[in-house]
Amino acid sequence: MSLREHERAHMARSVALLLEGAPEDVRDHVVQRLSSVVSGRTRKLTVSLRQSVVLALGQLGDCDEDAADVALRRALVRSLKDPDPQVQNFTIVSMGLVGARVDTDEGADRAAAKELRKQLSNQLATGKSRRAWAGVAIGLMERGFVE
């Protein structure tokens, strides 16, 4: 991995940290762009960049019905099919983080969390090498409900 590639791999996570407290339209624009990165032909991107992007999406997403968040959750589901196992594992953790951010008064939020829980439960039941990751992600998700 070249230094430049290594630097690029950290950009998505850094952007996610910078977006804390940013205006909603700025956040939505960045989420849409990051979601498109892992939704398309990901083999053109380096593995480390794809890993960073799915981790950043886990920090940025929630379960509401904003177009950006719907696209984010779809991108995470598609990332489960990434050829790199670590991208798949980080995707599972990000699903747990996103699923933990639910407005319990909103039915749509609960439905999105239920869909993520279904995906995680499926990984737990059939994922073989990803079972431990799915267990951690479900724990993160359920812990978010407690807080």
Side-chain angles (χ1 to χ4, degrees), residues 1-101:
M1 176 186 304
S2 69
L3 182 59
R4 183 145 173 89
E5 181 182 331
H6 184 70
E7 292 167 348
R8 286 183 64 199
H10 289 282
M11 287 190 323
R13 174 78 174 113
S14 299
V15 168
L17 291 171
L18 289 170
L19 285 174
E20 289 181 20
E24 194 71 22
D25 60 329
V26 172
R27 179 200 160 278
D28 287 350
H29 177 74
V30 172
V31 166
Q32 290 278 10
R33 294 295 299 226
L34 289 175
S35 297
S36 70
V37 166
V38 294
S39 293
R41 311 266 308 156
T42 60
R43 292 186 182 152
K44 293 180 181 179
L45 302 172
T46 64
V47 170
S48 55
L49 183 59
R50 294 193 319 263
Q51 291 171 355
S52 180
V53 168
V54 296
L55 287 170
L57 291 175
Q59 294 297 311
L60 292 170
D62 59 33
C63 285
D64 64 20
E65 289 300 309
D66 294 343
D69 287 309
V70 170
L72 180 148
R73 292 191 302 272
R74 278 193 207 127
L76 288 176
V77 170
R78 280 192 289 277
S79 292
L80 287 172
K81 294 181 175 108
D82 192 280
D84 180 64
Q86 198 60 41
V87 172
Q88 296 169 8
N89 295 337
F90 288 161
T91 297
I92 289 168
V93 170
S94 290
M95 289 175 132
L97 292 171
V98 170
R101 291 187 209 101

Side-chain angles (χ1 to χ4, degrees), residues 28-29 33 40 54 58 69 75 94 103-104 117 122 126 131 133:
D28 287 350
H29 177 74
R33 294 295 299 226
V54 296
D69 287 309
S94 290
D103 183 352
T104 55
R117 186 179 293 109
N122 187 39
T126 63
R131 284 184 179 151
W133 291 90

